[in-house]
Amino acid sequence: MSEPELTRSVWELDSNDYPASAAIDEKIRFLLRYAILAPSSHNSQPWRFRVSGNEVDIGTDESRWLDAADPTKRELYISVGCAIENLCVAAEHFEVEPRVEYHGETDTDTVATVTLHDDSEPSTHRPSELFDAITERSTSHDLFDDRTLDTAVRDELGAVVAEDDVTLHLVDEPAVKQSMSELQAEGDRRLMDDPEYRTELGHWIGLGALGSSWLVARIGQAVVTHLDLGDREAAKNSKLIESAPLVAVLTTESDDPMTQVKVGQVFERLALLATTAGVAVHPMSQTLERPELRTRLQGLLDSTAGVPQHLFRMGYTDEHPEHTPRWPLEAFLVDR
Ligand SMILES: Cc1cc2nc3c(=O)[nH]c(=O)nc-3n(C[C@H](O)[C@H](O)[C@H](O)COP(=O)(O)O)c2cc1C
């Protein structure tokens, strides 16, 4: 059988097609079509789903792990957490209650099991408007204009962070953003200096996973050849951070896979909420991809901050990026 191809058609979902009278496993397969629209680092889509009755085991696909960019698998688990959050948001929309059981470090294949109950009212806290945002959301790579996020929007963002041990820091002080932009520049230079990182990035660009616009136009085939690439990325990305009215960092006390899955859920919830408020979101991971820079980032936050897990710019832009492609759901379904 031939390999499934990346496609943008997965974004054309119609909620009227929900199989309301079908068996729960068929409903789950429909809900998973929303899960795969989640963001993931390099759009690697490193998730796997095993559906049985009203349960879905959600695992990582190690063949899609970015071992050069993400040696500790932090981004792998965050990406899987984003998919879990989309599944939960979609389930609640269709009045199915999702219950997530996390498996922690002992079971590397199955990260979490989500049990779906279509006979009980959802009892959780997600705002209902998040559902429509799943098919609207995309990562922005533009310079943001100088409009700031008002207090009401910031408060709404803070209010959806419900997980114990995940803290949202919203940074708008110019001096701190400046220091963050310097760390970003250093991260870009170090990573682009690493042949394994460049080869890995080139692989994902070559697959077409990152779409045809932003990174390809900026880097393209130069990934493997241009020696000044690190400096160019550093200059561009520093400006992106400085242009952002807000830089958000999610921190945690623990630094393990289960916590990182929860960080992914929180991030995706924030990204969906931001989408409903017209706020653009752009994760920037280079600082976090090198341990020493990650420690220095922690030092820029308030003294009680835990370990930084995810950093993203937030702001306003008139540009609307086209959706990046996905592999179809069938590529991620595994049998028992
Ligand atoms: C854990 C994680 C790390 C990411 N890091 C970056 C990054 O460093 N730079 C960037 O431009 N996008 C980053 N992204 C965004 C992905 O590139 C993006 O989600 C993916 O290409 C799919 O596109 P979409 O979000 O528009 O659907 C990250 C996303 C996740 C979940």
Side-chain angles (χ1 to χ4, degrees):
M1 213 173 76
S2 61
E3 285 289 302
E5 295 198 355
L6 283 161
T7 170
R8 287 193 173 78
S9 64
V10 291
W11 291 93
E12 292 152 23
L13 277 175
D14 185 346
S15 59
N16 293 318
D17 292 337
Y18 179 66
S21 4
I24 185 71
D25 59 333
E26 197 178 328
K27 288 180 181 166
I28 292 176
R29 272 186 276 274
F30 185 82
L31 298 175
L32 288 172
R33 298 192 184 279
Y34 292 90
I36 64 167
L37 302 182
S40 59
S41 51
H42 288 8
N43 203 17
S44 53
Q45 307 164 52
W47 35 69
R48 286 146 58 102
F49 309 108
R50 188 181 294 117
V51 181
S52 171
N54 71 337
E55 285 185 359
V56 198
D57 287 335
I58 302 181
T60 54
D61 180 346
E62 303 257 330
S63 72
R64 296 172 192 267
W65 167 37
L66 310 173
D67 53 351
D70 182 33
T72 61
K73 301 190 180 165
R74 179 184 47 80
E75 293 173 33
L76 179 78
Y77 291 114
I78 292 177
S79 301
V80 171
C82 292
I84 293 176
E85 186 63 15
N86 272 12
L87 173 63
C88 293
V89 169
E92 288 183 9
H93 173 80
F94 292 106
E95 299 190 337
V96 174
E97 178 168 20
R99 289 186 205 146
V100 186
E101 184 196 343
Y102 302 91
H103 297 303
E105 270 169 288
T106 45
D107 185 345
T108 53
D109 181 39
T110 305
V111 168
T113 299
V114 183
T115 311
L116 293 132
H117 299 266
D118 59 356
D119 50 0
S120 55
E121 282 285 302
S123 56
T124 45
H125 46 263
R126 295 173 180 87
S128 58
E129 66 267 27
L130 299 189
F131 175 71
D132 286 339
I134 295 179
T135 45
E136 291 292 312
R137 185 210 57 81
S138 55
T139 298
S140 170
H141 302 276
D142 296 308
L143 281 175
F144 294 156
D145 56 42
D146 45 19
R147 241 176 93 195
T148 53
L149 276 78
D150 63 32
T151 314
V153 176
R154 294 168 62 133
D155 288 350
E156 272 183 62
L157 291 168
V160 295
V161 182
E163 278 69 3
D164 295 341
D165 193 20
V166 182
T167 306
L168 172 66
H169 303 260
L170 297 176
V171 175
D172 58 5
E173 296 90 344
V176 184
K177 281 197 295 167
Q178 173 67 34
S179 302
M180 286 178 160
S181 116
E182 284 161 18
L183 284 182
Q184 169 73 39
E186 201 167 328
D188 279 321
R189 284 195 204 93
R190 287 193 195 184
L191 290 167
M192 287 300 183
D193 224 24
D194 174 354
E196 284 178 22
Y197 177 87
R198 292 200 307 269
T199 305
E200 183 177 86
L201 181 57
H203 167 76
W204 289 95
I205 290 175
L207 279 180
L210 292 162
S212 53
S213 51
W214 63 279
L215 193 60
V216 182
R218 235 161 70 201
I219 301 180
Q221 289 308 309
V223 162
V224 261
T225 52
H226 279 218
L227 294 175
D228 63 348
L229 196 62
D231 285 340
R232 285 197 349 232
E233 276 299 283
K236 170 92 183 170
N237 284 337
S238 295
K239 270 204 212 115
L240 290 178
I241 290 197
E242 284 159 32
S243 85
L246 212 55
V247 179
V249 184
L250 291 169
T251 65
T252 59
E253 286 308 315
S254 321
D255 193 18
D256 54 47
M258 194 162 75
T259 308
Q260 288 156 350
V261 168
K262 291 182 186 173
V263 167
Q265 289 191 254
V266 172
F267 166 64
E268 178 62 349
R269 202 176 306 139
L270 290 166
L272 294 176
L273 188 66
T275 303
T276 68
V279 174
V281 173
H282 179 197
M284 299 185 82
S285 304
Q286 291 75 8
T287 302
L288 294 155
E289 287 171 354
R290 289 296 173 264
E292 185 213 327
L293 302 181
R294 190 183 184 204
T295 306
R296 280 164 59 190
L297 174 65
Q298 183 172 8
L300 295 179
L301 303 172
D302 63 63
S303 56
T304 57
V307 197
Q309 299 287 355
H310 196 48
L311 179 153
F312 46 104
R313 305 186 297 136
M314 302 185 100
Y316 295 97
T317 165
D318 292 334
E319 312 268 341
H320 292 286
E322 67 172 345
H323 284 306
T324 51
R326 298 287 185 275
W327 283 282
L329 174 62
E330 290 62 36
F332 306 109
L333 291 174
V334 290
D335 296 329
R336 268 218 175 254

